[in-house]
Amino acid sequence: MTSNDTTTPPYATTVKPMAPPPENKDSIGPVVDVGLRFLLFATALVAIIVMVTSKQTKLVPFLGISIVAKFTQSPAFVYFVAALSVTCLYSVITGVVSLLVLMKPGGQFTTLQFHFVILDALLLGIVAAATGAAGGVGYIGYKGNSHSQWNKISRP
């Protein structure tokens, strides 16, 4: 009782393996990566310059003494400047490496991107922690805390 029907049932179609997509030599991804790393360098450098050069002077009433506040007087601000300095150096190093891979004919940019994603996430966590610490100290200095009897330092 064998069947002489040689037609293939519709559910038994064969699947051809897909060929990898051809590499697009005009891809804009690596160029955007280098541009964003340069933007990271510029913003980190500006933030470092603003933090290091800023100071606030307050005249103490009845004594006639002026008190100067700088970033070096708070560990949270020092941590913030250190994190931004590491970020600035990291952006220079990774920007140069990305640029070299971009210029290299036939360079494997996808492998490099994977490593950069891991390091970028690590550095994002460090900078976010430093920003939170500096923001918390700045807020306490600006508004004070009535529960712990900390008076505000700066004027609005």
Side-chain angles (χ1 to χ4, degrees):
M1 306 283 177
T2 61
S3 172
N4 291 338
D5 189 14
T6 58
T7 61
T8 307
Y11 58 85
T13 58
T14 58
V15 177
K16 295 180 183 177
M18 292 180 56
E23 284 192 30
N24 187 1
K25 296 296 180 183
D26 298 330
S27 177
I28 197 162
V31 176
V32 170
D33 182 62
V34 172
L36 287 175
R37 293 190 186 281
F38 175 75
L39 184 65
L40 173 66
F41 167 74
T43 55
L45 186 64
V46 167
I48 291 169
I49 291 170
V50 166
M51 284 296 295
V52 171
T53 60
S54 66
K55 65 179 181 177
Q56 182 177 1
T57 305
K58 184 173 183 180
L59 184 64
V60 177
F62 306 115
L63 296 177
I65 301 172
S66 60
I67 298 175
V68 178
K70 296 181 181 180
F71 85 97
T72 56
Q73 297 168 341
S74 171
F77 291 145
V78 172
Y79 174 46
F80 183 60
V81 170
L84 287 175
S85 300
V86 169
T87 301
C88 196
L89 178 66
Y90 171 77
S91 66
V92 168
I93 292 170
T94 57
V96 168
V97 170
S98 293
L99 196 60
L100 290 176
V101 169
L102 183 63
M103 292 178 162
K104 182 180 176 183
Q108 290 293 329
F109 194 72
T110 55
T111 307
L112 184 68
Q113 275 182 329
F114 175 74
H115 295 294
F116 280 172
V117 165
I118 301 295
L119 292 173
D120 289 349
L122 175 70
L123 205 62
L124 174 69
I126 292 171
V127 171
T131 304
V137 169
Y139 183 79
I140 292 293
Y142 183 68
K143 294 283 189 177
N145 188 342
S146 61
H147 298 290
S148 59
Q149 302 300 319
W150 289 345
N151 297 327
K152 64 181 180 178
I153 297 170
S154 59
R155 290 186 223 168

